Amino acid sequence: MKKTLLLTTISLMSLISFSQKKTTTSAVINFDAATPLDSLPKAVNKTVVAALNLTNGEVAFEASVKNFSFSNPMMQDHFNGENWMNSEKFPKATFKGNIKNLDKINFTKAGKYIATIEGELNIKGNVKPVSTTAQINVVGKSIATSAKFIISLADYGIELPKIAAGKVSENPSIKVTAKF
Amino acid sequence: MKKKIIIISGLLLLVIIGITYYLFSMKFDDMNDVKSDYDISAVNLMKEFQTNDSLANKRYADKILTVNGLVTDVETADSIINIKMADEQSGSYIIFSFQKNEEELLKDIIAGDTILVKGSCSGAIYSDILSAYSIAFKRCILLNNKK
């Protein structure tokens, strides 16, 4: 009787720990809107909150818009300004989605996997469906993930002034890396 | 008359090119050379954000802060080292990301250390993932060994 109870407890505990949502507060987003004319519009945010649910394949991240760090102060100001991200009004950018081929990924077995991800990106209050592939690298207990989104600024209500034409890409990339 | 217009236009163009070049080549100052706007403890900073986040955001966002507090976590990923000061009860936390070349100093920091950090405060966001406030900093430096 005692043995059964012990076994049940152990298996329940392992189940609970397995279904736990993994989170990190140090995921990184590299934002890149550079063009051949201008290599400056690039920024990094190293304090992105990210989550990965190993059981149901839910993935999510939240980034503080103000914590994107540019090398150039003027660009950082523009990025946060009303015409661009309007970070006063929309302080965070978020993504919520799912891994579509969860059956192909074994989070408990070391190896490299490719995940198909579909979800919604919320930037400046505009929610748009997006899809991408992510690299997942399982090493021991650590899970390293990396995914890249190419977005269209116009989709999120960001209009480039004429003066920026050619200097800032209208289809910047957002590369997200997270280690769980 | 025509000559004058050409000269003035030429000068104006030079000024515009000069200003543009200046603006585009500007860089953020090294945090070591920047004066801090506020000195505050991590506990009090978190309290202020939890009590009234919009007021605290107005006061501290985009300002330079020197924060002293207890390290609760050191998070590393690839070449990145972030330091965290968390309020265990509410789950809210302050997270510091650092400017370049701070790694050498940071690698000796462990949870339980009390440290002094200076950096640019980005204000707080409420994380729906964690159900807690996340107060983020960028371009930080560690002040412990530099006093």
Side-chain angles (χ1 to χ4, degrees):
Chain A
M1 180 61 197
K2 256 186 186 167
K3 221 175 186 177
T4 328
L5 195 70
L6 190 72
L7 275 175
T8 321
T9 317
I10 290 172
S11 52
L12 259 176
M13 273 171 71
S14 64
L15 199 71
I16 288 165
S17 68
F18 184 70
S19 66
Q20 240 173 16
K21 186 171 73 172
K22 296 237 176 202
T23 60
T24 174
T25 51
S26 290
V28 178
I29 292 184
N30 283 288
F31 170 81
D32 188 346
T35 66
L37 273 181
D38 193 346
S39 61
L40 280 179
K42 279 184 193 175
V44 62
N45 187 329
K46 298 188 267 195
T47 63
V48 177
V49 182
L52 167 67
N53 189 317
L54 305 183
T55 344
N56 63 12
E58 274 176 9
V59 283
F61 66 76
E62 295 170 323
S64 156
V65 176
K66 272 188 190 290
N67 215 40
F68 277 91
S69 182
F70 287 75
S71 64
N72 182 288
M74 181 189 63
M75 295 230 170
Q76 192 169 295
D77 274 358
H78 284 182
F79 181 79
N80 284 288
E82 264 181 53
N83 292 333
W84 261 81
M85 297 294 281
N86 198 357
S87 62
E88 290 287 330
K89 197 171 170 199
F90 304 103
K92 59 179 182 178
T94 61
F95 172 80
K96 266 184 199 165
N98 284 288
I99 298 175
K100 288 289 156 193
N101 57 339
L102 194 62
D103 55 324
K104 300 274 191 303
I105 298 154
N106 186 347
F107 290 111
T108 55
K109 193 181 164 207
K112 287 184 177 170
Y113 305 90
I114 303 284
T116 312
I117 292 176
E118 282 176 18
E120 284 179 332
L121 201 55
N122 184 342
I123 298 175
K124 212 183 171 184
N126 297 279
V127 183
K128 297 282 168 193
V130 286
S131 61
T132 189
T133 53
Q135 277 81 44
I136 297 177
N137 196 3
V138 180
V139 182
K141 280 189 174 171
S142 120
I143 302 167
T145 60
S146 169
K148 198 176 191 176
F149 298 92
I150 308 284
I151 62 156
S152 158
L153 291 181
D155 279 352
Y156 299 94
I158 300 166
E159 280 180 39
L160 286 181
K162 284 215 172 77
I163 196 161
K167 288 189 193 139
V168 178
S169 168
E170 290 185 32
N171 299 99
S173 72
I174 297 171
K175 190 184 168 205
V176 191
T177 46
K179 202 172 152 192
F180 298 98
Chain B
M1 186 62 196
K2 218 178 178 184
K3 216 175 175 184
K4 230 179 186 175
I5 291 175
I6 291 174
I7 291 173
I8 291 173
S9 319
L11 281 175
L12 264 177
L13 194 69
L14 271 180
V15 170
I16 291 170
I17 290 173
I19 292 173
T20 313
Y21 178 77
Y22 171 74
L23 285 175
F24 277 83
S25 58
M26 255 176 22
K27 284 219 174 351
F28 278 104
D29 290 330
D30 188 297
M31 197 49 75
N32 288 294
D33 306 327
V34 185
K35 224 180 136 249
S36 96
D37 298 305
Y38 296 95
D39 286 19
I40 190 166
S41 75
V43 174
N44 285 341
L45 187 64
M46 273 187 274
K47 248 186 219 154
E48 282 199 47
F49 275 101
Q50 281 165 356
T51 316
N52 188 336
D53 68 328
S54 62
L55 197 71
N57 268 319
K58 270 206 183 93
R59 182 175 297 159
Y60 297 117
D62 299 320
K63 294 285 191 303
I64 306 298
L65 268 64
T66 299
V67 182
N68 72 297
L70 185 73
V71 176
T72 52
D73 212 349
V74 180
E75 297 190 329
T76 54
D78 297 328
S79 61
I80 284 160
I81 305 176
N82 286 341
I83 285 184
K84 220 165 143 181
M85 296 178 183
D87 171 16
E88 305 285 334
Q89 263 186 339
S90 65
S92 293
Y93 63 92
I94 305 173
I95 187 156
F96 302 96
S97 62
F98 289 79
Q99 71 176 29
K100 270 183 194 163
N101 307 324
E102 288 292 299
E103 297 84 4
E104 201 52 36
L105 288 170
L106 289 170
K107 64 178 202 284
D108 297 328
I109 303 292
I110 53 166
D113 287 350
T114 299
I115 60 163
L116 202 57
V117 182
K118 181 163 75 170
S120 171
C121 182
S122 300
I125 58 165
Y126 185 79
S127 163
D128 292 318
I129 293 173
L130 302 168
S131 304
Y133 283 101
S134 163
I135 306 163
F137 279 73
K138 55 185 181 289
R139 303 197 333 270
C140 293
I141 56 166
L142 191 66
L143 287 179
N144 280 35
N145 307 322
K146 293 177 186 171
K147 285 196 98 179

